[in-house]
Amino acid sequence: MSPPVAPPGWSRWLVPPAALSVHLSIGQAYAWSVFKPPLESALGLSGTQSALPFQLGIVMLGLSAAFGGTLVERNGPRWAMTVALVCFSSGFLLASLGAATEQYWLIVFGYGFVGGIGLGIGYISPVSTLIKWFPDRPGMATGIAIMGFGGGALIASPWSAQMLESFGSDSSGIALAFLVHGLSYAVFMSLGVLLVRVPRIEKPAGGGAGGAPAPSALSGVQVSARGAVRTPQFWCLWVILCMNVTAGIGILEKAAPMIKDFFADSSTPVSVSAAAGFVALLSAANMAGRIGWSSTSDLIGRKNIYRVYLGVGALMYASIAWFGDSSKPLFILCALVILSFYGGGFATIPAYLKDLFGTYQVGAIHGRLLTAWSTAGVLGPLIVNWIADRQEEAGKTGSALYGTSFYIMIGLLAVGFVANELVRPVDPRHHVSAPKEKEAADVQR
């Protein structure tokens, strides 16, 4: 399925909305914590078990992005968005069937495995295309689209909470909520499928209102996807992304129960609706960080912005560990900063890849790098949930459930900080010649 090539005069600013329609939909994954307590109550699950669909979804996101990255480059964004639509919506429908029949394995398979494939293909579907349209501002361009993934929960969290309140939080209510999600997202994602365009090969298509041509995307250093994975720079970025994501996802996946636990014994405990609002706030920070911090990286450089993500992020975790349970505003503020760095890291990494490896196969390289997200998707929730479950078995309550896991996160961020300091320009022996016209066409189709 070849996407239509943009006609002369086509504005490149029409491409980000196409990407947003997909990313806002698949960003629902970040609202999974709203479903955790109802699932635990309805099906008798532990916190670790109820995290499994989310964990598997993130694992499949990374794996499908890694193995499907070359296919996305070859077949184009319209094909990728269609595959994402079918898999993501089907995953919800299977999860709905699983909830209705109280077959938890079907929820895991549907939401986690099938839906996770949709997450991965949908996530990388617009990245290469956007960088080709905006080679002059790659951080801003990818930030606009990828902020949709971070902002998806801003819509999905209160929407899901309202549905559970209306339909009920038993297995039948959860099933109906999953069904509505699957059908609604199928309609919304189809807008991106219909709208997306790729730039003309003969010359970069026009950008702004004045129709000025976009700068060429096929100049400078170019490294193939196969060559990139053989460089130390790729693996340094892999560690950077994995550590930053692990630290952020540890809070995000358990956000609703975490804030309730922290202040359960205080004079102002957090209600269920307030916890859902906290998830929405985290989503807003995640979304704002993706456009704000990634745009800032165009000004101060990728390495400097990751120094902020990793270094200041460790300080925020330390503040929560030491003082978080004594001040609700401090806890919320630190969590918001951490999630803004988490989102900013996702949005900045494609531009970091473009700086180091060029635009030739940046989508495929990005897909391979997202295996770091798969790893983090297991590590973050596993660390937080497993330690919290063990601490609860030991009779601890409140913030004591999370102290150890927060110190682990500080250590992981320090590892990522060191890896960022080791990044250097790619050795010329890994460079490839500027892609020929046919090769460029194959990449852009």
Side-chain angles (χ1 to χ4, degrees):
M1 180 185 295
S2 297
V5 176
W10 179 270
S11 173
R12 60 181 178 171
W13 293 101
L14 295 175
V15 180
L20 275 172
S21 71
V22 173
H23 276 235
L24 279 171
S25 299
I26 63 177
Q28 182 281 334
Y30 284 147
W32 178 253
S33 64
V34 175
F35 286 103
K36 281 172 63 69
L39 282 171
E40 290 167 15
S41 176
L43 302 180
L45 306 174
S46 68
T48 302
Q49 289 173 322
S50 66
L52 186 57
F54 175 82
Q55 287 177 288
L56 181 58
I58 298 301
V59 169
M60 292 309 301
L61 186 158
L63 293 178
S64 61
F67 289 104
T70 302
L71 289 174
V72 171
E73 290 278 13
R74 183 180 300 123
N75 296 321
R78 174 166 288 182
W79 174 88
M81 289 179 179
T82 301
V83 171
L85 184 160
V86 172
C87 291
F88 188 65
S89 296
S90 297
F92 265 114
L93 299 183
L94 288 170
S96 176
L97 179 61
T101 59
E102 298 188 0
Q103 297 294 316
Y104 185 59
W105 70 268
L106 193 53
I107 298 177
V108 175
F109 175 75
Y111 188 92
F113 185 83
V114 178
I117 295 173
L119 288 177
I121 300 300
Y123 189 85
I124 64 173
S125 61
V127 169
S128 177
T129 303
L130 281 165
I131 288 178
K132 290 180 176 68
W133 278 106
F134 294 88
D136 52 328
R137 286 179 281 181
M140 181 212 67
T142 54
I144 289 175
I146 293 177
M147 81 172 177
F149 193 90
L154 189 62
I155 300 170
S157 180
W159 184 36
S160 299
Q162 182 60 50
M163 278 194 286
L164 291 172
E165 183 177 336
S166 300
F167 302 151
S169 57
D170 57 0
S171 58
S172 61
I174 296 170
L176 189 53
F178 283 157
L179 177 63
V180 173
H181 275 308
L183 297 177
S184 300
Y185 286 134
V187 173
F188 192 58
M189 293 172 74
S190 65
L191 299 177
V193 174
L194 296 173
L195 186 61
V196 71
R197 299 288 189 277
V198 295
R200 298 171 65 83
I201 298 170
E202 292 77 14
K203 62 178 181 178
S216 175
L218 294 175
S219 58
V221 172
Q222 303 294 337
V223 181
S224 68
R226 179 175 297 181
V229 298
R230 298 174 180 173
T231 66
Q233 287 83 357
F234 176 89
W235 294 105
C236 282
L237 292 185
W238 193 98
V239 171
I240 291 166
L241 183 63
C242 185
M243 299 300 100
N244 193 54
V245 172
T246 299
I249 213 168
I251 286 182
L252 191 58
E253 186 275 336
K254 202 174 174 66
M258 182 183 290
I259 192 170
K260 291 174 67 178
D261 288 337
F262 254 78
F263 301 100
D265 299 326
S266 70
S267 58
T268 56
V270 177
S271 66
V272 173
S273 59
F278 175 62
V279 175
L281 276 177
L282 292 181
S283 178
N286 188 352
M287 179 175 63
R290 289 173 187 241
I291 182 61
W293 293 121
S294 61
S295 297
T296 302
S297 77
D298 286 335
L299 302 175
I300 69 173
R302 319 304 170 198
K303 178 174 282 192
N304 285 333
I305 202 68
Y306 272 96
R307 286 169 173 153
V308 174
Y309 298 157
L310 299 160
V312 178
L315 294 177
M316 294 297 101
Y317 254 115
S319 297
I320 294 178
W322 295 338
F323 312 112
D325 60 345
S326 63
S327 172
K328 195 177 296 183
L330 177 65
F331 177 91
I332 294 173
L333 177 62
C334 291
L336 291 177
V337 172
I338 290 171
L339 264 294
S340 77
F341 292 160
Y342 170 83
F346 275 123
T348 308
I349 205 70
Y352 213 160
L353 290 171
K354 181 259 182 187
D355 293 346
L356 291 170
F357 303 113
T359 61
Y360 172 39
Q361 291 188 334
V362 69
I365 299 170
H366 185 225
R368 286 161 171 77
L369 191 75
L370 290 182
T371 54
W373 193 356
S374 294
T375 304
V378 174
L379 282 179
L382 182 62
I383 290 169
V384 174
N385 284 289
W386 187 85
I387 291 176
D389 287 345
R390 300 293 80 76
Q391 298 286 52
E392 188 173 12
E393 290 172 1
K396 295 185 179 180
T397 60
S399 61
L401 298 174
Y402 304 100
T404 301
S405 58
F406 285 179
Y407 287 119
I408 292 174
M409 297 303 178
I410 293 171
L412 294 178
L413 287 170
V415 171
F417 190 92
V418 172
N420 186 51
E421 295 303 307
L422 297 176
V423 174
R424 298 289 186 274
V426 176
D427 191 286
R429 74 176 184 273
H430 297 291
H431 297 179
V432 297
S433 301
K436 298 176 183 177
E437 184 174 332
K438 180 181 182 302
E439 293 172 324
D442 288 341
V443 170
Q444 293 188 6
R445 266 205 307 270

